[in-house]
Amino acid sequence: MLQEVEMLARVSGAPPWAPRLAETETRTEFVRVLRAYYDAVVAPQADHVQATLEAERCLRTRALLTDGIDGLLRSLRPTMRWEPPVLHVTALGDDRDLHLGGRGLLLVPSYFCWGSPVPIADPELPPVVVYSVLDGMPSVERVPPPAAMAALAGVVGRSRAVILHACTAGATTGELARAVGISAPAATQHTSALRDAGLINSRRAANRVLHTLTPLGAALIRADPLAPAAGSRSGVSG
């Protein structure tokens, strides 16, 4: 524990009281406070955090499937900059070169990582970079649960039902338009209504917008006996 505290102080700085975390009593109290904070502040937002992470995974997976590893790494802008064969990571207080030497790199999206990405400090451990999922997110105001439930009254009709099902595995606006057989502007109107109702999330990637289900939207799909199995892309072309 002391070794980790010393590494924290050397890499990014640590308060004078940090070494006390190696003491069992102090560490126990610190864990108790963290759990109380989680229950009071983080847990009520858990669904929103999870929906944001799912949208991020879907976004990066699409980049990987469409353009391979090169496309995935290029999609990480502005958080990181890919200039083959080097991935530039601007990490606060950490100016160094890391040679993978054939090892893989684990990218970890985090809702609680603010500002610069955070590479793991210990060079003996597998290479890991934690980065923020909030960078580049569209400024769409989140509708509180009561308002979202009230807004569901306006989310009816076949077109929006098809769009919800298509968003199960993530879909762009163009894909949704083709699935329903409508124009892209019309699809945008439907996705705006679904987003205002708290049923989908929308993330912009380059010139495309990717739509994924929120936990509320997923629950609505699960309650539909005609809903396709999770992950189905029926009716949606790439």
Side-chain angles (χ1 to χ4, degrees):
M1 183 67 184
L2 279 175
Q3 181 181 357
E4 293 178 350
V5 171
E6 291 171 357
M7 184 176 297
L8 173 65
R10 184 174 66 255
V11 173
S12 58
W17 51 264
R20 292 178 54 197
L21 291 175
E23 302 171 4
T24 302
E25 184 177 350
T26 302
R27 190 165 63 251
T28 300
E29 176 63 14
F30 184 62
V31 170
R32 185 193 66 78
V33 172
L34 283 180
R35 285 176 174 166
Y37 179 84
Y38 175 87
D39 292 339
V41 179
V42 179
Q45 305 297 325
D47 283 351
H48 176 59
V49 172
Q50 186 61 37
T52 302
L53 291 173
E54 291 295 340
E56 172 68 16
R57 291 191 190 100
C58 191
L59 192 67
R60 303 309 170 196
T61 299
R62 276 185 163 253
L64 176 63
L65 292 175
T66 303
D67 299 309
I69 294 296
D70 184 71
L72 169 63
L73 295 176
R74 282 190 286 107
S75 76
L76 294 170
R77 285 180 177 269
T79 309
M80 290 169 263
R81 189 175 77 258
W82 171 236
E83 295 178 354
V86 178
L87 179 65
H88 297 270
V89 181
T90 304
L92 185 64
D94 189 14
D95 185 10
R96 60 191 171 101
D97 292 333
L98 175 62
H99 298 276
L100 295 180
R103 298 177 297 171
L105 175 65
L106 180 61
L107 298 171
V108 180
S110 172
Y111 192 88
F112 301 101
C113 175
W114 289 42
S116 301
V118 180
I120 197 164
D122 192 340
E124 301 300 320
L125 295 176
V128 174
V129 174
V130 180
Y131 69 96
S132 174
V133 298
L134 301 182
D135 291 335
M137 285 186 63
S139 57
V140 176
E141 184 178 356
R142 184 179 175 225
V143 180
M149 295 306 296
L152 285 177
V155 185
V156 294
R158 175 188 173 279
S159 294
R160 290 176 185 174
V162 172
I163 286 175
L164 273 179
H165 291 320
C167 286
T168 300
T172 64
T173 303
E175 290 170 342
L176 296 178
R178 291 193 293 271
V180 183
I182 57 178
S183 66
T188 297
Q189 291 181 354
H190 287 307
T191 55
S192 294
L194 292 167
R195 187 170 55 247
D196 290 343
L199 298 177
I200 66 172
N201 274 333
S202 300
R203 294 285 304 274
R204 178 169 293 280
N207 60 342
R208 297 183 301 176
V209 177
L210 183 68
H211 308 282
T212 56
L213 293 178
T214 65
L216 180 60
L220 190 62
I221 291 294
R222 286 195 299 269
D224 183 356
L226 300 180
S232 171
R233 298 298 301 273
S234 177
V236 180
S237 58

